[in-house]
Amino acid sequence: MNVDQIILNLEKKHPGEKEYLQAVKEVLESIEETYNENPQFETAGIIERLVEPDRIFTFKVPWTDDEGNAHVNLGYRIQFNNAIGPYKGGLRFHPSVNLSILKFLGFEQIFKNSLTTLPMGGAKGGSDFNPKAKSKSEIMRFCQSFMLELWHNIGAETDVPAGDIGVGGQEIGFLYGMYKKLARKHTGVLTGKGLNWGGSLIRPEATGFGVVYFAKEMLGTIGETFKGKTVALSGFGNVAWGVAQKATELGAKVVTLSGPDGFVYDPAGISGEKIEYMLELRATNEDIVRPYSYEFENVEFHQDKHPWEIKVDIALPCATQNELDIEDAQKLIDNGCLCICEGANMPCTPEAIEVIQKHKILYGPGKAANAGGVGTSGLEMSQNSMKMNWTRKEVDDKLHQIMKDIHHACKTHGTQKDGYIDYVKGANISGFIKVANAMLDQGIV
Ligand code: NDP
């Protein structure tokens, strides 16, 4: 495999899709050696077939606001690869959504889902709709219109979407309601469902819990734990609140959280009633970071800055892609940070990752570290198929085991001669091998 040549060809075919090209390059570079040791992959054109999605749906989503004005957004679903199971991946509603971002997320999802050990292929979808400051009825009308187009192409055994940025329990509810009406079926076609209608316990906090379970394993490799450590966290969405809760439970102190306009630093720690307060604010669809600094004492708000300038032991970026750059990484390293573990997808830039790994700091890529979300979605699918519900403890134990297994796989494939674990390499190789072998078994399709 010639990675540079493949990327050049992809750039020609998909000019300007920078996030997608960034994600493909990162994966190809780290699996190059393994790939070249297995000539059967090259003969079967595995890479050429893997880097292009199986299919992409793009559609118009018209909806009306509360004043009766018409609006049109774009909707997408990218079915990337279903070699090991039905397409599976979240829906993102955010004004920045475009084909490049969804293709990067869909591509990463293939390996993440493979890592969970559960039978799920890779997909992603969403819209450039901005749910911020929209009323509940506007969001409902948008979701219904979105599903009116999407429902033909999804199904419990075909493609099972879930939440992501801008898509939480409320949106999944509206999407599911419309699907059910159109398909006249009550099936596990979406995950992240409400507990009364097919959802799984632990799913709302699963991604965050999983990130902490993964980071705990990473810390274990250097004889450390969360107890007594300070944690910088970014975002405060679906992922971040579970992280804050679990890290606190394990004895750490979470001292920051952030939004698009800056971050708050709360040296006393963000836990208990403060997390509850943030969750209430989130439900109102308003800005949550700045009001936090008015609500609690001795809290600093840093406008237009990243939390990575604060001296902490552990950094957990949980907001969005490319939110931690090389300068941020350098500050964390200079401040003695032990571990950087990604809750978000691709939050660290390639330059940041390079400097983190050069300094042999523990670095957990999102594809492994945040796989607990989709892992628990897989557990929701299993419960739906069996028409049974597991208890909170049963789901949490399974999630914990999944994260331990992912860590073990990363360690197996990523341990370097000097003992440093290259988790990027470990995650990419172990995720890739399973999918590539399944593609080999199934012929050229
Ligand atoms: P949410 O929309 O629930 O939360 C995102 C959070 O990040 C919000 O608090 C948001 O603030 C904040 N934010 C957005 N943009 C920025 C920015 N530029 N700088 C700082 N903060 C920002 O999304 P999720 O928690 O679902 O997703 C977060 C990340 O985790 C994404 O990368 C997603 O792909 C990934 N992920 C999510 C999973 C899930 O289960 N939900 C599973 C695996 C990965 P505000 O609300 O004010 O805009």
Side-chain angles (χ1 to χ4, degrees):
M1 161 165 61
N2 181 336
V3 176
D4 290 338
Q5 193 54 51
I6 294 172
I7 296 294
L8 263 177
N9 292 345
L10 280 180
E11 267 167 5
K12 273 192 211 141
K13 265 200 274 184
H14 308 290
E17 295 189 3
K18 75 175 167 52
E19 293 85 0
Y20 160 65
L21 295 166
Q22 178 184 337
V24 172
K25 188 159 187 260
E26 183 231 88
V27 170
L28 297 195
E29 279 174 352
S30 60
I31 61 166
E32 190 171 6
E33 208 180 309
T34 308
Y35 190 84
N36 290 336
E37 283 164 8
N38 289 274
Q40 70 277 23
F41 291 157
E42 184 80 25
T43 318
I46 295 291
I47 288 301
E48 287 75 7
R49 289 160 56 209
L50 200 55
V51 297
E52 293 288 354
D54 288 351
R55 65 194 66 81
I56 299 176
F57 302 106
T58 311
F59 47 93
K60 177 176 77 181
V61 190
W63 57 281
T64 48
D65 64 26
D66 290 342
E67 278 73 52
N69 303 309
H71 299 268
V72 176
N73 286 95
L74 274 182
Y76 306 88
R77 185 69 181 166
I78 300 181
Q79 296 181 337
F80 229 111
N81 184 292
N82 64 353
I84 62 168
Y87 300 108
K88 178 93 196 87
L91 296 173
R92 177 177 291 194
F93 292 168
H94 192 272
S96 66
V97 161
N98 59 33
L99 206 50
S100 170
I101 289 185
L102 295 181
K103 278 171 72 179
F104 121 62
L105 290 164
F107 182 69
E108 293 265 293
Q109 198 80 43
I110 303 171
F111 308 101
K112 183 188 301 191
N113 292 2
S114 165
L115 277 170
T116 65
T117 69
L118 302 175
M120 298 181 289
K124 202 78 191 186
S127 170
D128 56 0
F129 173 73
N130 186 0
K132 268 277 173 69
K134 300 284 188 308
S135 71
K136 196 169 172 176
S137 333
E138 288 171 333
I139 292 176
M140 181 178 75
R141 285 195 292 277
F142 175 82
C143 289
Q144 291 175 337
S145 180
F146 185 89
M147 188 50 88
L148 210 48
E149 277 295 328
L150 186 67
W151 80 281
H152 296 283
N153 301 310
I154 59 174
E157 306 294 337
T158 322
D159 181 356
V160 184
D164 190 72
I165 292 181
V167 180
Q170 171 182 269
E171 291 72 24
I172 293 291
F174 294 147
L175 290 162
Y176 193 78
M178 195 58 171
Y179 177 85
K180 185 173 62 69
K181 187 176 175 80
L182 293 163
R184 302 188 183 181
K185 278 184 198 159
H186 200 297
T187 65
V189 68
L190 294 170
T191 56
K193 298 186 292 297
L195 278 181
N196 295 327
W197 42 279
S200 172
L201 286 161
I202 301 278
R203 177 61 190 91
E205 54 273 63
T207 310
F209 278 20
V211 172
V212 176
Y213 291 148
F214 192 83
K216 183 175 146 221
E217 295 299 312
M218 292 171 75
L219 288 166
T221 64
I222 56 165
E224 289 286 357
T225 66
F226 267 93
K227 203 165 172 46
K229 301 288 185 304
T230 46
V231 175
L233 178 63
S234 63
F236 203 81
N238 298 323
V239 178
W241 78 270
V243 166
Q245 204 175 74
K246 187 53 79 178
T248 309
E249 212 177 290
L250 296 187
K253 188 158 77 170
V254 176
V255 293
T256 69
L257 48 89
S258 72
D261 53 345
F263 77 93
V264 292
Y265 173 49
D266 182 349
I270 299 158
S271 62
E273 50 145 5
K274 294 177 175 175
I275 298 180
E276 296 300 321
Y277 168 78
M278 300 297 292
L279 288 175
E280 277 165 31
L281 271 186
R282 276 197 68 210
T284 63
N285 239 353
E286 300 293 333
D287 265 359
I288 54 174
V289 173
R290 205 186 291 251
Y292 181 98
S293 65
Y294 306 142
E295 182 75 12
F296 299 106
E297 279 178 12
N298 301 322
V299 176
E300 297 165 15
F301 176 69
H302 296 254
Q303 177 127 16
D304 297 329
K305 292 210 167 149
H306 295 161
W308 320 123
E309 61 187 56
I310 300 294
K311 181 173 165 47
V312 288
D313 303 307
I314 299 163
L316 304 173
C318 294
T320 192
Q321 63 272 358
N322 295 326
E323 55 157 319
L324 195 158
D325 62 20
I326 186 163
E327 282 92 35
D328 296 323
Q330 195 58 57
K331 275 182 213 153
L332 287 168
I333 294 164
D334 293 346
N335 282 331
C337 181
L338 300 171
C339 170
I340 299 168
C341 185
E342 299 181 338
N345 284 313
M346 216 163 74
C348 297
T349 63
E351 299 77 25
I353 298 169
E354 203 182 321
V355 74
I356 296 164
Q357 292 193 319
K358 202 172 102 199
H359 284 81
K360 309 281 176 194
I361 310 285
L362 294 174
Y363 166 69
K367 143 180 337 116
N370 69 31
V374 73
T376 309
S377 279
L379 300 177
E380 183 174 328
M381 288 164 73
S382 305
Q383 293 170 80
N384 291 163
S385 300
M386 293 187 297
K387 309 247 182 295
M388 278 180 65
N389 295 320
W390 288 323
T391 63
R392 199 176 163 82
K393 181 168 184 324
E394 280 173 308
V395 180
D396 197 21
D397 286 350
K398 288 186 200 318
L399 165 65
H400 204 153
Q401 192 56 48
I402 286 173
M403 298 318 295
K404 281 186 180 171
D405 291 345
I406 296 175
H407 184 270
H408 180 73
C410 291
K411 200 170 155 189
T412 305
H413 292 282
T415 302
Q416 307 296 286
K417 287 197 185 91
D418 63 0
Y420 177 69
I421 304 172
D422 182 339
Y423 286 94
V424 177
K425 202 167 176 183
N428 285 337
I429 294 176
S430 63
F432 167 76
I433 289 176
K434 185 171 160 192
V435 176
N437 282 330
M439 288 171 76
L440 276 184
D441 292 346
Q442 294 166 13
I444 314 248
V445 284

